[in-house]
Amino acid sequence: EPSAQEKRPEPARLRIATASLAGCFGCHMSLLDIDERIFELAAKVEFDRSPLTDIKHCGPCDIGLIEGGVCNAENVHVLREFRRNCKTLVAVGACAINGGLPAQRNHLDVGACLQEVYCYREGLDGAGVPDDPELPLLLDKVRPIHEVVRVDYFLPGCPPSGDAIWKFLSDLVAGRTPRLPYALMHFD
Ligand code: SF4
């Protein structure tokens, strides 16, 4: 006869998905900077789409973490899929919040940029701008994610530190509104 303790069902684990759009994966690396606390996190959550799994499309989730801004049509598609599926969507890092480094191209003409990179550089021998239909179309500007979908929370930094990500996620997983102490709030 199992004891009352054994009969009690396991608390449901929250499901988390992460994606990098126009980012450098630095924010994902910072998530790994929580070091051994990842075991504590893994006991409370399970991962849907993320670099830790081989899941290609985000399914229904509690929390979605988005790194990177929106620079092409595929980013728009992935971001909308996350918004549809995630109860809480978080913009993680400067690129997701305001476009970050990739948005430095916003004051340039995207066509001229492509020509410069693929056509006029020495040694390219007129290779031409890649136009494989599988390549996602570029947007004229790199956009912060809140210009495309509704965003619930913004976690600043380039990248946010592992400690900031830990505090933020601990609050969310515990059902609290995330709050960062001043010492963990960075914009660089
Ligand atoms: Fe990389 Fe910084 Fe952008 Fe994060 S915010 S993806 S670390 S450039």
Side-chain angles (χ1 to χ4, degrees):
E1 179 74 7
S3 70
Q5 182 107 28
E6 282 164 335
K7 271 194 229 157
R8 196 178 301 151
E10 288 272 310
R13 288 195 292 169
L14 294 185
R15 207 164 167 83
I16 293 187
T18 79
S20 179
L21 307 180
C24 74
F25 271 98
C27 290
H28 274 82
M29 295 305 292
S30 217
L31 170 62
L32 296 181
D33 277 344
I34 67 175
D35 297 329
E36 70 279 359
R37 290 169 290 187
I38 202 153
F39 295 114
E40 203 180 316
L41 184 65
K44 293 181 183 153
V45 307
E46 52 192 6
F47 281 93
D48 193 274
R49 174 181 166 155
S50 81
L52 302 171
T53 66
D54 199 28
I55 299 172
K56 306 285 188 240
H57 291 281
C58 173
C61 282
D62 298 286
I63 301 167
L65 306 176
I66 301 284
E67 164 196 300
V70 184
C71 80
N72 64 34
E74 191 207 6
N75 293 162
V76 175
H77 179 78
V78 170
L79 183 55
R80 288 190 172 147
E81 186 176 81
F82 265 67
R83 179 67 279 180
R84 269 199 310 279
N85 282 291
C86 299
K87 288 183 199 151
T88 300
L89 194 69
V90 185
V92 181
C95 298
I97 293 173
N98 61 29
L101 272 181
Q104 287 195 353
R105 76 158 162 87
N106 284 1
H107 65 283
L108 302 169
D109 176 79
V110 69
C113 253
L114 289 170
Q115 297 272 330
E116 177 65 28
V117 170
Y118 290 105
C119 303
Y120 302 145
R121 288 279 158 100
E122 251 179 72
L124 285 177
D125 297 328
V129 177
D131 60 356
D132 190 294
E134 292 228 335
L135 292 173
L137 283 175
L138 290 180
L139 306 186
D140 63 337
K141 306 262 189 241
V142 179
R143 309 281 175 179
I145 68 168
H146 70 265
E147 285 191 12
V148 180
V149 296
R150 180 175 57 78
V151 173
D152 298 294
Y153 294 108
F154 298 84
L155 174 52
C158 180
S161 67
D163 286 342
I165 292 176
W166 174 250
K167 170 71 171 74
F168 205 89
L169 279 181
S170 303
D171 283 348
L172 271 182
V173 167
R176 297 187 293 264
T177 300
R179 295 210 189 288
L180 285 188
Y182 187 68
L184 292 182
M185 186 79 87
H186 287 280
F187 294 90
D188 56 359

Short mmCIF file of all heavy atoms in Angstrom, two decimals, residues 7 10 21 24 28 31 36 39 47-48 53 81 89 107 113 118 130 132 134 138 142 153 170 173 186-187:
data_model
loop_
_atom_site.label_atom_id
_atom_site.label_comp_id
_atom_site.label_asym_id
_atom_site.label_seq_id
_atom_site.Cartn_x
_atom_site.Cartn_y
_atom_site.Cartn_z
N LYS A 7 1.41 8.78 -3.02
CA LYS A 7 0.23 8.92 -3.89
C LYS A 7 0.09 10.34 -4.43
O LYS A 7 -0.55 10.56 -5.44
CB LYS A 7 -1.02 8.57 -3.08
CG LYS A 7 -1.36 7.10 -3.14
CD LYS A 7 -2.76 6.91 -2.62
CE LYS A 7 -2.79 5.81 -1.60
NZ LYS A 7 -3.89 5.85 -0.68
N GLU A 10 2.93 14.50 -8.68
CA GLU A 10 4.02 15.47 -8.86
C GLU A 10 3.43 16.80 -9.29
O GLU A 10 2.51 16.82 -10.12
CB GLU A 10 4.94 14.99 -9.99
CG GLU A 10 5.79 13.82 -9.64
CD GLU A 10 7.09 14.28 -9.02
OE1 GLU A 10 7.74 15.14 -9.61
OE2 GLU A 10 7.42 13.77 -7.93
N LEU A 21 16.42 35.17 -32.41
CA LEU A 21 16.07 35.74 -33.73
C LEU A 21 17.34 36.42 -34.26
O LEU A 21 18.33 35.75 -34.47
CB LEU A 21 14.88 36.69 -33.59
CG LEU A 21 13.63 36.09 -32.88
CD1 LEU A 21 12.51 37.11 -32.78
CD2 LEU A 21 13.15 34.82 -33.55
N CYS A 24 22.98 37.08 -31.09
CA CYS A 24 24.29 36.43 -31.23
C CYS A 24 24.41 35.19 -30.36
O CYS A 24 25.49 34.62 -30.25
CB CYS A 24 25.40 37.41 -30.87
SG CYS A 24 25.52 37.70 -29.09
N HIS A 28 21.59 33.53 -24.65
CA HIS A 28 21.46 32.11 -24.32
C HIS A 28 22.67 31.63 -23.51
O HIS A 28 22.54 30.86 -22.56
CB HIS A 28 21.32 31.26 -25.59
CG HIS A 28 19.92 31.15 -26.10
ND1 HIS A 28 19.33 32.12 -26.88
CD2 HIS A 28 18.97 30.19 -25.93
CE1 HIS A 28 18.09 31.75 -27.16
NE2 HIS A 28 17.85 30.58 -26.60
N LEU A 31 22.21 32.51 -20.03
CA LEU A 31 21.31 31.58 -19.32
C LEU A 31 22.12 30.41 -18.76
O LEU A 31 21.90 29.97 -17.63
CB LEU A 31 20.21 31.09 -20.28
CG LEU A 31 19.32 29.95 -19.80
CD1 LEU A 31 18.54 30.33 -18.55
CD2 LEU A 31 18.32 29.53 -20.89
N GLU A 36 25.38 25.79 -11.81
CA GLU A 36 24.74 24.59 -11.24
C GLU A 36 23.27 24.83 -10.89
O GLU A 36 22.52 23.88 -10.68
CB GLU A 36 25.51 24.06 -10.03
CG GLU A 36 25.45 24.92 -8.79
CD GLU A 36 26.42 26.08 -8.84
OE1 GLU A 36 27.17 26.21 -9.83
OE2 GLU A 36 26.43 26.87 -7.87
N PHE A 39 20.31 22.88 -12.51
CA PHE A 39 19.68 21.64 -12.03
C PHE A 39 18.40 21.96 -11.25
O PHE A 39 17.40 21.26 -11.38
CB PHE A 39 20.66 20.85 -11.14
CG PHE A 39 21.86 20.36 -11.90
CD1 PHE A 39 23.12 20.83 -11.61
CD2 PHE A 39 21.71 19.42 -12.90
CE1 PHE A 39 24.23 20.39 -12.33
CE2 PHE A 39 22.81 18.96 -13.62
CZ PHE A 39 24.08 19.45 -13.33
N PHE A 47 11.82 21.93 -20.96
CA PHE A 47 12.09 22.79 -22.10
C PHE A 47 11.37 22.30 -23.35
O PHE A 47 11.40 21.13 -23.69
CB PHE A 47 13.60 22.89 -22.37
CG PHE A 47 14.29 23.84 -21.44
CD1 PHE A 47 14.85 23.39 -20.27
CD2 PHE A 47 14.34 25.20 -21.73
CE1 PHE A 47 15.47 24.27 -19.38
CE2 PHE A 47 14.94 26.09 -20.86
CZ PHE A 47 15.51 25.62 -19.68
N ASP A 48 10.68 23.22 -24.00
CA ASP A 48 10.10 23.00 -25.32
C ASP A 48 11.18 23.41 -26.33
O ASP A 48 12.35 23.15 -26.10
CB ASP A 48 8.81 23.85 -25.43
CG ASP A 48 7.95 23.46 -26.61
OD1 ASP A 48 8.20 23.99 -27.71
OD2 ASP A 48 7.04 22.62 -26.46
N THR A 53 17.01 21.34 -26.81
CA THR A 53 16.18 20.24 -27.32
C THR A 53 16.27 20.23 -28.85
O THR A 53 16.89 21.11 -29.44
CB THR A 53 14.69 20.44 -26.96
OG1 THR A 53 14.22 21.60 -27.66
CG2 THR A 53 14.49 20.63 -25.47
N GLU A 81 4.66 32.63 -33.74
CA GLU A 81 4.39 31.29 -33.22
C GLU A 81 4.60 31.26 -31.70
O GLU A 81 3.80 30.67 -30.96
CB GLU A 81 5.33 30.28 -33.90
CG GLU A 81 5.04 28.84 -33.55
CD GLU A 81 5.94 27.89 -34.32
OE1 GLU A 81 7.11 27.70 -33.91
OE2 GLU A 81 5.49 27.34 -35.33
N LEU A 89 5.45 36.10 -22.49
CA LEU A 89 6.55 36.26 -23.45
C LEU A 89 7.52 37.32 -22.93
O LEU A 89 7.10 38.42 -22.56
CB LEU A 89 6.00 36.67 -24.82
CG LEU A 89 6.98 36.55 -25.98
CD1 LEU A 89 7.30 35.09 -26.28
CD2 LEU A 89 6.40 37.20 -27.24
N HIS A 107 20.16 52.60 -40.52
CA HIS A 107 20.32 53.89 -41.23
C HIS A 107 20.92 53.68 -42.62
O HIS A 107 21.24 54.63 -43.31
CB HIS A 107 21.16 54.86 -40.39
CG HIS A 107 22.57 54.42 -40.19
ND1 HIS A 107 22.91 53.44 -39.29
CD2 HIS A 107 23.72 54.80 -40.78
CE1 HIS A 107 24.22 53.24 -39.34
NE2 HIS A 107 24.74 54.05 -40.23
N CYS A 113 23.41 47.69 -48.91
CA CYS A 113 24.20 46.85 -47.99
C CYS A 113 24.53 45.51 -48.64
O CYS A 113 25.67 45.04 -48.61
CB CYS A 113 23.37 46.56 -46.75
SG CYS A 113 23.84 47.41 -45.30
N TYR A 118 28.04 41.51 -51.03
CA TYR A 118 28.11 40.33 -51.92
C TYR A 118 28.63 40.63 -53.32
O TYR A 118 28.99 39.71 -54.05
CB TYR A 118 26.74 39.66 -52.03
CG TYR A 118 26.31 38.98 -50.76
CD1 TYR A 118 25.34 39.53 -49.93
CD2 TYR A 118 26.89 37.77 -50.37
CE1 TYR A 118 24.95 38.91 -48.76
CE2 TYR A 118 26.52 37.14 -49.19
CZ TYR A 118 25.55 37.71 -48.40
OH TYR A 118 25.18 37.09 -47.25
N PRO A 130 22.88 36.37 -52.74
CA PRO A 130 22.22 35.06 -52.68
C PRO A 130 20.71 35.22 -52.79
O PRO A 130 20.13 36.08 -52.13
CB PRO A 130 22.61 34.52 -51.30
CG PRO A 130 23.80 35.29 -50.89
CD PRO A 130 23.70 36.64 -51.54
N ASP A 132 18.52 32.23 -53.06
CA ASP A 132 17.86 30.93 -52.93
C ASP A 132 16.49 31.14 -52.28
O ASP A 132 16.38 31.85 -51.28
CB ASP A 132 18.73 30.01 -52.05
CG ASP A 132 18.22 28.57 -52.08
OD1 ASP A 132 17.10 28.33 -51.58
OD2 ASP A 132 18.94 27.71 -52.60
N GLU A 134 14.90 29.43 -50.36
CA GLU A 134 14.86 29.01 -48.96
C GLU A 134 15.32 30.11 -47.99
O GLU A 134 15.06 30.05 -46.80
CB GLU A 134 15.76 27.79 -48.75
CG GLU A 134 15.24 26.56 -49.43
CD GLU A 134 15.26 25.36 -48.50
OE1 GLU A 134 16.05 25.35 -47.56
OE2 GLU A 134 14.45 24.45 -48.75
N LEU A 138 14.78 39.64 -46.13
CA LEU A 138 15.16 40.62 -45.11
C LEU A 138 14.11 41.70 -45.00
O LEU A 138 13.50 42.11 -46.00
CB LEU A 138 16.49 41.27 -45.48
CG LEU A 138 17.74 40.39 -45.40
CD1 LEU A 138 18.97 41.20 -45.81
CD2 LEU A 138 17.91 39.84 -44.01
N VAL A 142 15.68 46.46 -38.82
CA VAL A 142 15.64 45.48 -37.73
C VAL A 142 14.74 46.06 -36.64
O VAL A 142 14.94 47.20 -36.20
CB VAL A 142 17.06 45.23 -37.17
CG1 VAL A 142 17.02 44.24 -36.01
CG2 VAL A 142 17.97 44.71 -38.28
N TYR A 153 7.15 41.03 -20.63
CA TYR A 153 8.22 41.53 -19.78
C TYR A 153 9.47 41.79 -20.61
O TYR A 153 9.69 41.16 -21.65
CB TYR A 153 8.59 40.51 -18.69
CG TYR A 153 7.49 40.27 -17.70
CD1 TYR A 153 6.77 39.08 -17.71
CD2 TYR A 153 7.16 41.24 -16.75
CE1 TYR A 153 5.75 38.86 -16.79
CE2 TYR A 153 6.14 41.03 -15.84
CZ TYR A 153 5.44 39.84 -15.87
OH TYR A 153 4.43 39.63 -14.98
N SER A 170 13.31 32.78 -11.57
CA SER A 170 12.84 32.28 -10.28
C SER A 170 11.51 32.94 -9.91
O SER A 170 10.58 32.27 -9.45
CB SER A 170 13.85 32.57 -9.17
OG SER A 170 15.07 32.02 -9.49
N VAL A 173 8.73 31.59 -12.34
CA VAL A 173 8.39 30.18 -12.07
C VAL A 173 7.59 30.07 -10.77
O VAL A 173 6.70 29.23 -10.63
CB VAL A 173 9.67 29.31 -12.05
CG1 VAL A 173 9.39 27.93 -11.48
CG2 VAL A 173 10.25 29.20 -13.46
N HIS A 186 21.09 46.12 -15.79
CA HIS A 186 22.11 46.71 -16.66
C HIS A 186 21.52 46.91 -18.04
O HIS A 186 20.67 46.14 -18.48
CB HIS A 186 23.32 45.77 -16.78
CG HIS A 186 24.15 45.74 -15.54
ND1 HIS A 186 25.06 46.71 -15.23
CD2 HIS A 186 24.18 44.85 -14.53
CE1 HIS A 186 25.63 46.42 -14.07
NE2 HIS A 186 25.10 45.29 -13.62
N PHE A 187 22.02 47.92 -18.73
CA PHE A 187 21.56 48.16 -20.09
C PHE A 187 22.70 47.97 -21.09
O PHE A 187 22.59 48.38 -22.24
CB PHE A 187 20.92 49.55 -20.19
CG PHE A 187 19.65 49.64 -19.38
CD1 PHE A 187 19.68 50.04 -18.05
CD2 PHE A 187 18.43 49.27 -19.92
CE1 PHE A 187 18.53 50.08 -17.29
CE2 PHE A 187 17.27 49.30 -19.17
CZ PHE A 187 17.32 49.71 -17.85
#
